[in-house]
Amino acid sequence: MAGPLLETKLHVPRRQRGLVARPRLSEHLSRGAQSALTLVSAPAGFGKTTLLAEWLAAAAADGRSAAWLSLDHRDNDPGLFWTYLVAALKAAAHGPGATALPLLQPPQPGEAGLAALLNDLDAISDDVVLVLDDYHVIDAPDVQDGMAFLLEHLPPQIHLVIASRADPALPLGRLRGRGELVEIRAADLRFTPGEAAAYLNEVMGLELTARDVAALEERTEGWIAALQLAALSLQGREDIAAFIAGFAGDDRYIVDYLAEEVLQRQPGHVHRFLLQTSILDRLSGPLCDAVTGQDGGKAKLAALERGNLFLAPLDNRRQWYRYHQLFADVLQAHLLDEQPGDVPDLHRRASAWYEQNGEPSEAIRHALAARDFERAADLVELAIPAMRRTRQEAAMRGWLQALPDEVFRLRPVLSVGFAGAMLAGGEHEGVEIRLRDAERWLDTTAGNRNGLPAPLADMVVVDDEEFRRLPAEIELYRAALALTRGDAPGTVRHARRALELSPEEEHLGRAAAAGLMGLAFWASGDLEAGYSAYAECMAGLRRAGHIADTFGCAVALADIRLVQGRLGEAMRTYEQALQCAPEQSGSVLRGTADMYVGMSELHRERNDLPAATRNLLRSQELGEHTGLPQNRYRWRVAMARIRQAEGDLGGALDLLNEAERLYVGDFFPNVRPVPALRARVRAAQGEVGEALGWGRERGLSVEDDLSYLHEFEHITLARVLLARYATDRAERSIQEVTRLLERLLRAAEEGQRTGSVIEIRVVQALAHQAREDVPAALASLHRAVTLAEPEGYVRIFADEGPPMASLLRAVAKRGTAPNYVRRLLAAINQAEGSTPANNGLIEPLSARELDVLRLLGTDLDGPDIARNLVVSLNTVRTHTRNIYAKLGVNNRRAAVRRARELDLPQPGGRPPRRVVLRDP
C-alpha cells in the first residue's frame, strides 16, 4: 500500500512555528511511556497534536522509535483502520504485522489478526510508541473492540498514546486501577499565565501588558486555539484593550468570533481560496488548482503556512497540508453562507482530480458529497473488483448505501456488487431483491459470440468484464444465501449452475462454487460428495494462487476423513497442505497454524500426547491465531482433550469454557459443538445434573429425528443418560439409551461415518455392560476394535477408564486383536497410574493444582501463570486458593515451602514451556 494518503496519515506533524515549548507536559509524557496507555483528551484547539509532535521529536533524538497514525472518519472501516495501523508500526519497527494483516481484513474476525499482531510485537526488543491522533472519529464497534483487545494485551515494550476530543471506548477504569494509564486532560493542556505571556509577546511579538495578557488568559481560560486566533486578530491593531474586552461567551462562540475576525482581514483572493478549499480534508498545490480553477495553489499554501493561518504540513516535503479542524469548520460555514451554489461543483472538481490521480476512494467520497450520484455510481462500479480482492466490502457497502435506489435499477453490475457486499457483512435481507434487479437485464439471447450476455440499450454498464461475469456471480450469491438458510439442495443447485456459467479459466469463482457445494454436502451428511467438492475447491484455489485459503479446505477435508474413520488420510491431508506452502523465513502464510492444531488432535487420538502438545505449541509459535475464524476455539478444544486424556477434567472444563467464549461461527457446519463436549466432561466428573441440563437447554430427546448435523449431540445425550443410569438404575433410562444408540448406529453405518460408528459401538458396549449383558457388550466392542485397529485409535477406548479395561481384557481372551488390545490396556493403565499426588494430604492436589504449584515457585506473576497454563486469571486464582487451603498456608512462599516438606513435585522444578498467549 502506497500513495500520498498513506504518507500523510503516517507523517508526524512538524512543530508549528509560533508555539512555546512546554517541558512540564513533555516530562509528563515521558513518564507515561512506561505505561500501557497515555491518553491526551481535551476538546478541539488545546494543542494535543502539537504537544505530541514536539514530544516525539525529542524522543527520536533519544533513540525511541515512534509510529504515528492520523485518523479520520473513513478509518471506521475495520479493514482500512488495521491496514493503516500495521503500516504505521511497520514504518517504526520494520516488520511487524505481515502475518496479521490478512486476518485483520473483513470478513475475518479482528481478534484473530490482533493476536497474530501481538505475537509480532512481542518479538520486538526496543521500545515503540504508537500514537493515534484524532481517535474521537472512531465510533465503529468492531474497531473499538479490537483496540480494547490490543490494549489489554500489549507487550511491555509497546506504548499506546491516544489523542482524542472525548474519552475513547476503552477499559480506562481497569487500566487506571492497575497503574497502566497516564492522563493529560484539558486542565493540563491549558496555557499557564506564564506560557500565555511567552506565546503572546515572545512568539507573536505583541508586546502586551501583564494586565492585557491576564485578561486574555482569563477570557480564553488558557485555550490555545482561542489565544492563537486572538493573537492573529491583534496583530497591527492599536485598540488592543478594547478588542480584548470585546469578546465573551463560551469557547465555541469565541472561536467563531475570532475566526471571522481573521477571515475579514484577508485579501479577497486569499478569502476565496480559503473558502473554496475548505471542502478538502487534505490540500496540495495541484489539487487546490483543480478545485479553485486558478493557478498558484502551491505558493498560496506556503504563504498561508508562513502566516500561521491554521495550516499544518502533512509530509516532510510540504506537498500536502490540512487546515486546523476548528478553522475548517468556520470556513465551511462561511462557504455555505456566501457561495452555496458553488459547493457541488467544487466537490465535482475534487472528485475528478482524485480519479485522475488514482485515488478512487476520495473520488467517490467527493462525488457523493456533490450529490452527483451517476458519477459516484460509475466510480464505485469500477472499484468493485479491487475492493473485493482487498476485502473492503464494508467501505463498498457504505458507498452503495449512500446511492438512491433508482440508480441501481439501470445498473446490474452495481446491484450484484451491492448483494455481494451485503452477504460479506452478514446482511441477508434484501440480497435477493438486488439480484433480481440485475437479473432482469441479463438477456443471454442477445449475447456475444461466446454466449455471454451483452449490455442492453437502456442499462448502464461501466465495467464490461464484470457484466459478463454476472450470470455466474448471481448464482454463486444465491448459493451462499441458500446455505445461510440451511437449504442444502438449493445451495447445490445454484452452485452447480454457477459452475456451468463460469469459464474454465475463472479459477476463483469456480473454486467458490465448489466450496459452497462441499459445505452443503458436508452439513447434510453426504461426506464423500462433500469431500470431492472441497477437493475441487482446494485445487481451484491453488490454480488461482490463493495458497493461504487452501488451508481452510485442508481443515474441512481432514474433518470429513476424521468422521469417516480415516485418521491416516486426515494426517496426510495436513502434511501435504504444509508441503505445498513451505514456511519461509520471516513470513508464515495465514492458516499454517491450523494445520498443527489438526495434527495435534490426530496425535492425541493415537495417544501420542507429547506430539499432540508439541503441535499445539508449534501452532502458537507460528501465531496460534493466524488462521481460520475457528482456529482460536479449536486450539482450546484440542488442548482441553489433551487435559482430559491426562486426567485433568477441571483443566479441560476451563479450556472448553474459553473455547465457547471464543467460538465464531462461519459457513463450516458446527458438528461438534463446545457445549456438548463440556457436557461429556461434566458427566465424566459425576456432575450428571449439569450435563442433563445441557440436554434440556438444547431441547434434545431420544425420540428426535436423527441427522448428521446433530449426531455428535445425540451420542453425547446417550452418554449422559448412561451416566444417569449409573446413579438411578432406572430401567427406563437404559432402555432409552439402547434404543437411541441402535438408531444412531444405523444412521452412521448408512452414511459410512466409520468414526461415529466406532464411538457408538464403544458406548453400546458400556451400556450393555451396565445392564450386565456381557455377550452383547463384547459383540459391540469386538466390532469397534476391528474397525479401529487399522487406523490406530486409542483414546476413544482409553478415555472410558476401568469399565472399558475389563471389557477389553474379556474381548482379548476371545482372540480379538490381542496386540492392539494390549496397547489399549497399557494406555488405560498409564492414565490410571497418573493420579493426583497425595503424600499425606487429607485432600490431594489435582493435576492442574500441581501445575499451578510448580509455577508458584518461579518468578512468574498471576497473569503469566495463566498464559502458560492456557487458562484465565480467575481460574489460576481459584486453583491458588485451593492449594493454600489443602496445604494449610496463606501465602505463596509458605505454599512452596510446605510442598518441599511434603515431598510434592518440586515447585519451580518443571515449569511448562513459556508460551505467549494473548487473550481478553
Side-chain angles (χ1 to χ4, degrees):
M1 180 184 55
L5 177 58
L6 175 61
E7 183 179 356
T8 57
K9 291 179 76 67
L10 305 188
H11 175 72
V12 180
R14 287 195 172 191
R15 181 176 184 269
Q16 296 182 29
R17 290 187 291 271
L19 290 179
V20 297
R22 312 183 75 187
R24 64 183 176 90
L25 294 179
S26 295
E27 291 172 8
H28 197 31
L29 286 168
S30 295
R31 289 195 300 272
Q34 305 306 313
S35 64
L37 172 65
T38 297
L39 175 63
V40 184
S41 179
F46 273 85
K48 300 183 290 294
T49 300
T50 301
L51 171 66
L52 292 174
E54 283 187 341
W55 173 62
L56 286 185
D62 296 335
R64 181 183 292 130
S65 299
W68 182 284
L69 177 57
S70 297
L71 300 168
D72 58 51
H73 62 91
R74 288 162 295 191
D75 297 321
N76 280 292
D77 177 346
L80 287 178
F81 179 89
W82 296 114
T83 296
Y84 288 136
L85 186 140
V86 168
L89 287 168
K90 280 184 177 180
H94 309 293
T99 303
L101 189 54
L103 290 167
L104 291 166
Q105 304 303 314
Q108 301 278 11
E111 284 188 12
L114 287 172
L117 177 59
L118 285 163
N119 284 340
D120 287 351
L121 295 178
D122 195 66
I124 297 173
S125 56
D126 299 326
D127 282 6
V128 175
V129 175
L130 169 62
V131 178
L132 302 181
D133 194 23
D134 289 333
Y135 191 83
H136 54 272
V137 302
I138 299 299
D139 54 22
D142 288 348
V143 177
Q144 291 175 337
D145 292 346
M147 280 301 301
F149 177 85
L150 185 73
L151 180 59
E152 286 275 29
H153 303 92
L154 275 181
Q157 68 273 27
I158 309 298
H159 314 285
L160 180 64
V161 180
I162 285 179
S164 177
R165 296 183 188 176
D167 281 5
L170 296 172
L172 301 182
R174 285 203 299 274
L175 292 168
R176 194 179 289 120
R178 298 202 301 252
E180 287 292 318
L181 173 65
V182 171
E183 299 170 83
I184 297 179
R185 298 192 171 273
D188 306 301
L189 291 166
R190 296 182 192 277
F191 270 174
T192 65
E195 289 169 340
Y199 171 70
L200 293 167
N201 288 333
E202 296 174 19
V203 175
M204 300 301 290
L206 292 176
E207 299 182 355
L208 302 181
T209 66
R211 178 177 296 177
D212 290 336
V213 170
L216 268 180
E217 197 275 332
E218 181 181 357
R219 287 295 178 91
T220 62
E221 297 183 358
W223 188 29
I224 298 170
L227 278 170
Q228 191 174 5
L229 282 161
L232 287 169
S233 300
L234 283 167
Q235 287 179 332
R237 285 185 178 272
E238 295 183 359
D239 55 342
I240 288 175
F243 176 85
I244 292 173
F247 66 87
D250 64 23
D251 291 346
R252 182 71 229 195
Y253 289 136
I254 291 174
V255 169
D256 287 347
Y257 170 70
L258 293 175
E260 289 171 14
E261 283 283 313
V262 171
L263 269 180
Q264 289 170 5
R265 299 180 62 180
Q266 302 306 315
H269 69 283
V270 175
H271 184 96
R272 284 191 300 276
F273 181 86
L274 290 169
L275 296 191
Q276 291 174 338
T277 57
S278 68
I279 66 159
L280 303 170
D281 288 345
R282 299 175 293 131
L283 304 95
S284 72
L287 175 56
C288 291
D289 290 346
V291 169
T292 63
Q294 302 290 324
D295 294 331
K298 182 177 181 180
K300 289 173 184 173
L301 291 171
L304 291 176
E305 186 193 6
R306 287 193 300 272
N308 259 338
L309 211 57
F310 296 95
L311 191 73
L314 293 175
D315 57 48
N316 292 323
R317 298 187 299 277
R318 280 175 157 69
Q319 292 183 347
W320 288 91
Y321 298 82
R322 70 171 177 87
Y323 290 124
H324 187 289
Q325 188 58 56
L326 286 172
F327 193 53
D329 291 345
V330 174
L331 293 177
Q332 290 166 12
H334 278 264
L335 175 64
L336 289 172
D337 186 50
E338 298 176 25
Q339 305 171 30
D342 293 344
V343 174
D345 195 46
L346 294 172
H347 280 294
R348 282 191 201 94
R349 295 175 192 173
S351 176
W353 187 91
Y354 276 119
E355 181 190 9
Q356 292 164 9
N357 286 271
E359 294 196 48
S361 295
E362 286 297 292
I364 292 167
R365 188 176 70 83
H366 280 286
L368 290 171
R371 301 187 66 78
D372 189 344
F373 297 126
E374 292 300 321
R375 173 180 175 75
D378 288 351
L379 293 169
V380 172
E381 184 170 323
L382 291 171
I384 284 175
M387 298 297 283
R388 267 201 305 248
R389 279 195 304 273
T390 55
R391 299 185 178 179
Q392 295 186 54
E393 286 93 347
M396 187 167 72
R397 192 164 66 250
W399 297 334
L400 293 166
Q401 287 170 340
L403 295 172
D405 279 343
E406 55 266 23
V407 171
F408 295 94
R409 295 194 184 106
L410 300 177
R411 294 176 177 266
V413 174
L414 217 57
S415 291
V416 174
F418 202 173
M422 293 166 72
L423 278 170
E427 185 180 346
H428 305 145
E429 188 175 350
V431 169
E432 181 59 31
I433 294 172
R434 295 297 178 193
L435 295 178
R436 287 177 183 170
D437 280 347
E439 197 170 38
R440 65 192 180 89
W441 290 104
L442 299 182
D443 181 1
T444 54
T445 63
N448 59 25
R449 62 187 176 187
N450 296 319
L452 296 172
L456 300 177
D458 296 333
M459 78 171 75
V460 180
V461 172
V462 182
D463 189 333
D464 289 336
E465 189 63 31
E466 278 296 297
F467 179 77
R468 284 191 287 272
R469 293 193 184 103
L470 287 189
E473 282 189 13
I474 289 171
E475 293 298 332
L476 188 67
Y477 290 148
R478 282 195 171 131
L481 197 58
L483 190 63
T484 65
R485 295 170 176 162
D487 178 6
T491 302
V492 173
R493 184 175 65 255
H494 289 297
R496 281 179 173 154
R497 182 64 180 146
L499 283 171
E500 292 169 3
L501 293 168
S502 297
E504 288 294 328
E505 65 275 9
E506 192 70 33
H507 301 307
L508 199 57
R510 295 180 67 83
L516 288 169
M517 277 202 300
L519 288 166
F521 287 133
W522 184 10
S524 60
D526 190 348
L527 300 187
E528 202 55 46
Y531 186 93
S532 297
Y534 240 103
E536 180 54 37
C537 173
M538 189 175 190
L541 289 171
R542 191 170 288 128
R543 286 191 292 268
H546 287 235
I547 302 301
D549 291 325
T550 64
F551 287 138
C553 295
V555 170
L557 294 172
D559 277 358
I560 290 172
R561 287 302 190 229
L562 191 62
V563 177
Q564 293 177 319
R566 304 181 190 179
L567 304 188
E569 288 187 40
M571 182 67 81
R572 285 192 292 276
T573 298
Y574 289 126
E575 292 170 345
Q576 289 168 3
L578 287 173
Q579 289 170 3
C580 291
E583 297 166 30
Q584 300 172 354
S585 58
S587 177
V588 179
L589 279 179
R590 173 176 56 86
T592 304
D594 300 287
M595 303 300 96
Y596 290 94
V597 173
M599 289 190 293
S600 170
E601 295 198 77
L602 294 167
H603 283 302
R604 180 205 59 81
E605 178 54 50
R606 288 171 164 172
N607 203 37
D608 190 348
L609 300 186
T613 303
R614 284 196 304 272
N615 274 273
L616 287 185
L617 294 175
R618 181 61 178 146
S619 174
Q620 281 193 320
E621 290 169 359
L622 291 170
E624 172 218 342
H625 312 293
T626 59
L628 305 174
Q630 293 186 342
N631 179 274
R632 304 182 68 229
Y633 108 89
R634 290 174 73 107
W635 196 100
R636 270 42 173 212
V637 168
M639 184 61 83
R641 302 195 74 188
I642 292 173
R643 293 279 184 261
Q644 184 177 5
E646 294 171 339
D648 183 6
L649 298 182
L653 272 181
D654 290 338
L655 285 159
L656 290 174
N657 288 334
E658 290 191 48
E660 184 177 27
R661 178 176 59 82
L662 296 171
Y663 176 76
V664 177
D666 59 6
F667 282 123
F668 273 30
N670 187 19
V671 293
R672 292 193 174 196
V674 174
L677 288 164
R678 190 171 53 209
R680 292 180 174 214
V681 175
R682 288 201 179 280
Q685 284 183 313
E687 299 175 2
V688 179
E690 287 80 357
L692 288 168
W694 158 80
R696 285 192 297 271
E697 185 179 324
R698 290 289 296 138
L700 295 172
S701 157
V702 294
E703 305 300 332
D704 289 341
D705 291 334
L706 301 182
S707 69
Y708 166 64
L709 200 57
H710 299 291
E711 184 171 77
F712 186 81
E713 289 183 300
H714 281 114
I715 296 173
T716 304
L717 178 64
R719 287 179 171 278
V720 172
L721 293 175
L722 183 59
R724 183 179 68 179
Y725 176 72
T727 59
D728 66 14
R729 309 302 293 179
E731 186 62 22
R732 179 181 175 185
S733 294
I734 197 65
Q735 289 176 354
E736 288 179 341
V737 171
T738 302
R739 287 198 305 272
L740 176 58
L741 288 170
E742 288 172 352
R743 294 172 60 220
L744 285 167
L745 181 61
R746 285 195 299 271
E749 287 178 335
E750 288 171 4
Q752 298 181 321
R753 298 187 290 274
T754 304
S756 297
V757 169
I758 293 171
E759 183 180 9
I760 294 166
R761 287 286 190 183
V762 165
V763 180
Q764 265 190 334
L766 294 171
H768 290 311
Q769 182 190 43
R771 299 182 71 178
E772 300 181 1
D773 186 351
V774 176
L778 295 181
S780 290
L781 186 58
H782 168 80
R783 184 59 180 153
V785 168
T786 303
L787 290 172
E789 181 186 16
E791 296 293 334
Y793 281 88
V794 175
R795 294 313 315 178
I796 201 166
F797 301 98
D799 287 343
E800 305 303 334
M804 177 54 62
S806 65
L807 288 175
L808 285 170
R809 282 190 287 269
V811 82
K813 289 178 181 178
R814 297 190 173 193
T816 301
N819 293 333
Y820 178 51
V821 170
R822 276 196 290 273
R823 278 182 57 205
L824 301 181
L825 287 169
I828 295 175
N829 292 335
Q830 180 184 20
E832 291 304 306
S834 59
T835 53
N838 193 331
N839 296 67
L841 292 178
I842 296 174
E843 185 179 358
L845 298 178
S846 71
R848 180 39 56 96
E849 287 166 354
L850 285 170
D851 284 341
V852 173
L853 179 59
R854 291 186 188 100
L855 292 176
L856 290 176
T858 70
D859 59 355
L860 297 179
D861 60 11
D864 283 334
I865 292 174
R867 293 189 190 103
N868 270 279
L869 297 179
V870 201
V871 297
S872 69
L873 182 57
N874 283 336
T875 298
V876 169
R877 289 170 177 162
T878 299
H879 287 317
T880 303
R881 284 195 296 270
N882 292 341
I883 291 168
Y884 290 173
K886 292 177 181 181
L887 296 181
V889 299
N890 56 17
N891 63 62
R892 182 170 180 166
R893 182 174 297 177
V896 173
R897 185 171 57 251
R898 179 67 172 148
R900 289 180 179 135
E901 292 170 355
L902 293 172
D903 197 27
L904 296 177
Q906 282 297 296
R910 189 180 59 85
R913 181 176 179 179
R914 176 72 171 138
V915 182
V916 177
L917 180 66
R918 304 287 180 183
D919 259 347

